[in-house]
Structures are given as C-alpha cells and as structure tokens.
Amino acid sequence: MRLRKFFILVLFFSVSLAQDRGQKLYQEQKYDAARAHYDLILSKRDNDKAAHFGRGASAYSQDEKETALQSFKQALSTKDRMLQSKALYNIGNMLYEQQKMDESLAFYKKAMMLDPSDHDAKINYELMKRQMRKQEEQEQNQEKDQEPNKDCL
C-alpha cells in the first residue's frame, strides 16, 4: 500500500516538473522548445489541459493564432477554475485583436466570474466597455452631424 502511494506521489511530481520545464522554456522566450515540450506531453497524455494551455501560449507567441485558439479551447474543459479563467482571458485577448468586441467582452466577463481576483480580466473588461461606449457616442454624434438641418429649409 505504501509503495503504491509513493508511486502516485512520484508520478504527480514528475508531471508537475514536466509542466514547469515548459513554463521555464516559455519564460526564457524559447517558444519553439516550449511548444515542442508541450507537444511531447500531449503525445503521451492528450487530455492534459495544462499542456494544452502551455501549447496555446507558445503557439500564440509564435504567431500561430489558430493553433493557439484551438489549444486554449481544449484547456477550457478542465476542472481547474484558474486554468479555465486564464484560457478564457487569452481567448478574450485574441478576439479583441480581431476587433470582435462583444465576444471578447463576454470572455473577459466569464474569466472574471471564474476568478474574481483576476485583475487583468477586470481591467480589460472595464477598458473595453469604456471604449465601446465612446465608440457608440462618436457614432451617434456622426449621425446627428449628418442629419439635415430642418431649420434652414
């Protein structure tokens, strides 16, 4: 019985260390190596949501947006609420870059709901709401400026 617990513990630490190696490579801006590392993990454990997230971050840094998006979406099915929140946040950022404001706003909101302490999601959400309000006001002002002045007729 003790041997079995020990094995599980060792297995848990080896999985954690494997993820840490990928994070270290990513932080060192060795995105090719980090992505290769996550791909190796996924070749053995396709259901590893943290590895999908790491692969997504690496792919994004390599300007492979579609792969990044698919990887972040894979990470969403995790039970880890923090990981879900980070994946939602990153998808929100990607949608913002594509000028899909309403969709991006919804992803930031979901990220905040999962992790209320996520200050980045809160900031992006509020900034985007302000930007959208300002854009609406500008559009309304342009419409008013384009209306013919009935007093002059």
Side-chain angles (χ1 to χ4, degrees):
M1 186 73 166
R2 283 186 165 206
L3 183 61
R4 185 173 180 194
K5 286 183 182 177
F6 179 74
F7 176 74
I8 293 171
L9 190 61
V10 169
L11 179 62
F12 173 76
F13 279 114
S14 68
V15 170
S16 295
L17 290 174
Q19 295 294 346
D20 287 347
R21 183 168 182 263
Q23 289 173 350
K24 183 177 186 240
L25 290 167
Y26 181 85
Q27 289 170 347
E28 293 172 352
Q29 299 181 354
K30 297 177 182 176
Y31 304 123
D32 292 333
R35 183 166 170 192
H37 177 75
Y38 290 120
D39 284 339
L40 180 63
I41 291 172
L42 290 168
S43 72
K44 297 174 184 171
R45 295 186 315 268
D46 185 49
N47 207 26
D48 188 323
K49 303 307 177 188
H52 279 289
F53 182 88
R55 181 177 189 256
S58 300
Y60 181 84
S61 295
Q62 294 173 306
D63 205 32
E64 293 185 30
K65 307 292 193 228
E66 190 58 37
T67 299
L69 182 61
Q70 294 306 315
S71 295
F72 289 137
K73 284 181 178 180
Q74 286 278 340
L76 287 176
S77 62
T78 183
K79 292 179 183 179
D80 180 342
R81 293 173 62 92
M82 297 298 274
L83 185 59
Q84 281 180 337
S85 176
K86 295 301 179 195
L88 288 165
Y89 172 79
N90 285 337
I91 293 170
N93 285 340
M94 294 178 75
L95 291 168
Y96 175 78
E97 289 175 359
Q98 297 170 12
Q99 300 299 309
K100 296 179 180 178
M101 303 304 184
D102 291 330
E103 292 175 64
S104 178
L105 198 62
F107 275 88
Y108 289 141
K109 187 173 184 175
K110 289 178 188 177
M112 288 186 316
M113 290 172 65
L114 285 173
D115 180 11
S117 68
D118 187 341
H119 297 293
D120 292 331
K122 285 180 184 179
I123 290 169
N124 284 7
Y125 180 82
E126 290 301 323
L127 287 173
M128 183 170 282
K129 282 189 76 157
R130 284 185 201 152
Q131 181 180 355
M132 291 173 74
R133 273 191 232 120
K134 187 176 180 181
Q135 189 174 4
E136 279 180 20
E137 289 172 4
Q138 287 175 343
E139 289 171 4
Q140 288 173 353
N141 288 338
Q142 285 178 348
E143 287 175 11
K144 286 180 184 177
D145 290 344
Q146 291 176 355
E147 289 180 8
N149 191 344
K150 294 179 183 178
D151 293 336
C152 293
L153 297 176

